[in-house]
Amino acid sequence: VPQGFTMIEAAALPENYFTVWSNVFDRGRLGLDSSGEPEALLVQGGSSGIGVTAIQLAHALGHPVFATAGNEEKCAACEKLGARAINYRTQDFVEEVRKYTHGRGVDVILDMVAGDYAARELEILREDGRLVFIATLGGKHAQIDVSVIMRRRLTLTGSTLRARPLAFKAALARRLHERVWPL
């Protein structure tokens, strides 16, 4: 239990941190690009518990972070955590990411929306980019251009944490203890 946290507060930490680490850093392989620069992350739903955790971790590890949120207050909260925020109700996240990255796009997208977002997200992934699905708030079906995936060597993946075996979660807890808790 982190110092200053109650047992109830501490109990809320593992689900978010386990989900983010497992999906953004393990499955999404957010790290350094071929020139040694930190890769960029887009978080869909930046003001959610998972979104806040993803922003905090990626930012703390030196990655440029972009996040979508549904109003100006939520966008301000994401920016306070270190993300460049995009109000998905008033802005097109594809255009905004292109603008903020000077057309380069992002390396990893953490997607809780799916549905019609998937095809649009492929547009802003850099070559060898990774799209990680963790929820389907926008629907579980998507129409995508598979040739884009092939040409740009994109990886689409996803996971859920709850069904994973205890040994997987224990190993994940050890990695978090080593890499994240010191932060």
Side-chain angles (χ1 to χ4, degrees):
V1 176
Q3 186 175 359
F5 278 60
T6 67
M7 289 294 282
I8 292 171
E9 291 168 332
L13 293 174
E15 177 99 15
N16 286 345
Y17 282 87
F18 280 34
T19 297
V20 169
W21 191 267
S22 174
N23 286 286
V24 172
F25 296 95
D26 289 345
R27 297 191 72 74
R29 301 180 324 277
L30 185 67
L32 302 178
D33 67 17
S34 59
S35 65
E37 294 296 314
E39 291 182 319
L41 172 68
L42 169 62
V43 179
Q44 299 286 16
S47 62
S48 68
I50 294 292
V52 165
T53 303
I55 293 168
Q56 288 176 321
L57 279 178
H59 180 71
L61 295 171
H63 296 277
V65 183
F66 305 91
T68 60
N71 63 46
E72 293 309 313
E73 182 181 342
K74 291 178 179 181
C75 284
C78 291
E79 295 211 347
K80 189 174 181 182
L81 295 170
R84 171 77 68 147
I86 301 161
N87 184 334
Y88 66 84
R89 294 188 196 278
T90 61
Q91 299 172 293
D92 180 338
F93 73 84
V94 173
E95 288 179 22
E96 295 301 311
V97 167
R98 281 186 180 143
K99 181 175 72 176
Y100 293 144
T101 64
H102 307 289
R104 292 186 62 221
V106 295
D107 302 283
V108 177
I109 299 173
L110 182 63
D111 182 4
M112 295 173 243
V113 181
D116 67 355
Y117 270 39
R120 296 170 60 210
E121 289 167 332
L122 297 182
E123 296 178 40
I124 53 172
L125 276 175
R126 293 179 183 165
E127 286 194 359
D128 297 307
R130 286 85 64 198
L131 173 52
V132 184
F133 298 101
I134 61 168
T136 57
L137 299 173
K140 63 182 180 177
H141 297 286
Q143 287 200 302
I144 57 173
D145 182 346
V146 174
S147 68
V148 171
I149 298 167
M150 294 168 24
R151 269 192 325 274
R152 297 191 18 243
R153 299 174 310 280
L154 305 177
T155 300
L156 280 62
T157 187
S159 74
T160 61
L161 186 60
R162 288 186 181 104
R164 301 303 294 261
L166 185 57
F168 172 86
K169 293 175 185 177
L172 187 54
R174 283 190 296 278
R175 286 195 305 278
L176 285 167
H177 184 74
E178 293 167 4
R179 285 293 312 264
V180 175
W181 278 188
L183 298 174

